[in-house]
Amino acid sequence: MRNKKIAAFFTRKSYIIAAIIMIVAAFGMTGLYYAKQDKKQEEQLAKERAAQVQQAKAEDAARERETAKKIKEKAAQEKAAQEKLAREKANQEAKEKEKEKEETEAVSGIIAPQADNFMDEPEVVAEVSNPIEPELHFDAASDLSWPLQGNVVLNYSMDRTIYFPTLDQYKYNPAVIIQAAVNSPVNSVAAGKVTSIETNEEIGTTVTVDMGDGYCARYGELKEISKNQGDYVESGEVLGYINEPTKYYSVEGSNLYFQLLKDDAPVNPMEYLE
């Protein structure tokens, strides 16, 4: 009886083990099935991605071909336009040459032929030469002519100050102030070249003449200047006329401001005037 119970126990145990083995086998088969399905899906995705990449490459290549085609067409159009322009220019030049030839032939038919030996005559070429400027030379030993006749109301003084009535003060004077009536002509004291014509509030319109060898003469308080900058003047030639006095010389009255310079430094004109 006991042996039957033991045999029955092992028989039931065998069934249980067999059932467990079958369950495990079933799970294993299920796992293999899903693994195969996942692998198939991955392969399908890989194929789709490869197809997409291939399609993108094909589209890029097509765009590049289209761009290259457009560039080639544009270059061809520009070349054609340039060739057309060149042809038009050549035609225009040909027409101009033809017209010039016709005009030359027409003129040739009107102008009488020259003598047979005209080719043997030397060609006369006009020579254009710049005018030669006179050489300026100032003889300091010779006396200068006075620019006009009049009394000296303020003398040259650079070693001590002198009194200026209008300004009511003492100061140095680098020129001589010669009394003169308005509209009196002012003459050049020597030959020279007008280097500047300036106007300032103290001595009015002033003409500077370069006399050569570093000597210059300045004529102030003028109007109606007869010369331009760069002109040459002869000794005794009229430069202008006495103007109304500036506010700096209202008490002294109308006058000529005459200054003599040596190397741009004032010198006493009275030592040179006759």
Side-chain angles (χ1 to χ4, degrees):
M1 186 69 179
R2 184 178 179 185
N3 291 334
K4 288 181 180 181
K5 289 182 179 179
I6 293 172
F9 171 77
F10 281 109
T11 300
R12 288 193 299 270
K13 188 174 182 181
S14 297
Y15 289 149
I16 293 171
I17 293 172
I20 292 171
I21 290 172
M22 289 178 67
I23 293 171
V24 171
F27 277 110
M29 293 296 291
T30 302
L32 289 174
Y33 173 77
Y34 283 112
K36 288 181 180 181
Q37 292 296 321
D38 291 341
K39 186 175 181 180
K40 287 182 180 180
Q41 289 180 355
E42 289 178 358
E43 290 176 352
Q44 184 64 28
L45 291 174
K47 289 180 180 179
E48 291 177 355
R49 284 196 295 269
Q52 291 175 355
V53 171
Q54 189 66 26
Q55 183 179 359
K57 288 182 178 180
E59 292 175 354
D60 291 341
R63 282 195 294 269
E64 290 178 357
R65 288 193 297 271
E66 186 67 22
T67 302
K69 182 180 179 182
K70 290 181 179 179
I71 292 174
K72 187 175 180 181
E73 290 176 352
K74 185 177 180 181
Q77 292 174 356
E78 291 178 352
K79 183 178 180 181
Q82 291 176 356
E83 291 176 352
K84 182 180 179 181
L85 183 62
R87 288 194 299 271
E88 291 176 353
K89 184 177 180 181
N91 293 334
Q92 183 66 24
E93 291 177 352
K95 290 180 181 178
E96 291 178 356
K97 287 182 179 180
E98 185 65 25
K99 183 178 180 181
E100 184 179 353
K101 182 179 178 181
E102 292 175 355
E103 292 176 351
T104 303
E105 291 176 352
V107 173
S108 299
I110 297 173
I111 299 176
Q114 301 293 326
D116 294 340
N117 61 346
F118 77 98
M119 292 296 292
D120 299 331
E121 297 179 359
E123 182 181 1
V124 178
V125 179
E127 294 184 358
V128 179
S129 58
N130 295 325
I132 300 175
E133 296 186 358
E135 183 178 354
L136 300 176
H137 179 67
F138 179 78
D139 186 2
S142 64
D143 295 330
L144 296 179
S145 61
W146 279 75
L148 51 66
Q149 296 299 318
N151 297 325
V152 176
V153 294
L154 290 174
N155 214 331
Y156 173 90
S157 181
M158 291 299 289
D159 55 350
R160 62 185 180 86
T161 59
I162 61 174
Y163 181 70
F164 282 71
T166 301
L167 301 177
D168 191 22
Q169 66 180 23
Y170 285 85
K171 57 183 252 181
Y172 295 104
N173 186 22
V176 291
I177 311 302
I178 305 173
Q179 190 177 44
V182 175
N183 296 324
S184 297
V186 177
N187 304 315
S188 176
V189 297
K193 179 180 180 180
V194 177
T195 55
S196 69
I197 301 175
E198 303 171 329
T199 300
N200 62 58
E201 63 177 7
E202 181 179 356
I203 58 176
T205 301
T206 305
V207 177
T208 302
V209 177
D210 180 10
M211 300 181 294
D213 298 317
Y215 285 89
C216 291
R218 298 184 71 202
Y219 309 79
E221 302 275 13
L222 298 184
K223 67 176 182 178
E224 299 176 17
I225 309 302
S226 62
K227 295 292 181 179
N228 295 318
Q229 184 174 334
D231 290 347
Y232 286 87
V233 296
E234 298 295 334
S235 178
E237 189 173 357
V238 175
L239 295 173
Y241 299 86
I242 296 297
N243 199 357
E244 296 289 343
T246 65
K247 62 183 180 180
Y248 289 82
Y249 294 96
S250 59
V251 175
E252 291 84 351
S254 56
N255 66 84
L256 170 68
Y257 177 96
F258 180 71
Q259 184 180 29
L260 190 63
L261 302 168
K262 174 65 170 73
D263 298 328
D264 295 329
V267 293
N268 189 355
M270 300 302 292
E271 296 178 359
Y272 297 85
L273 295 171
E274 295 177 349

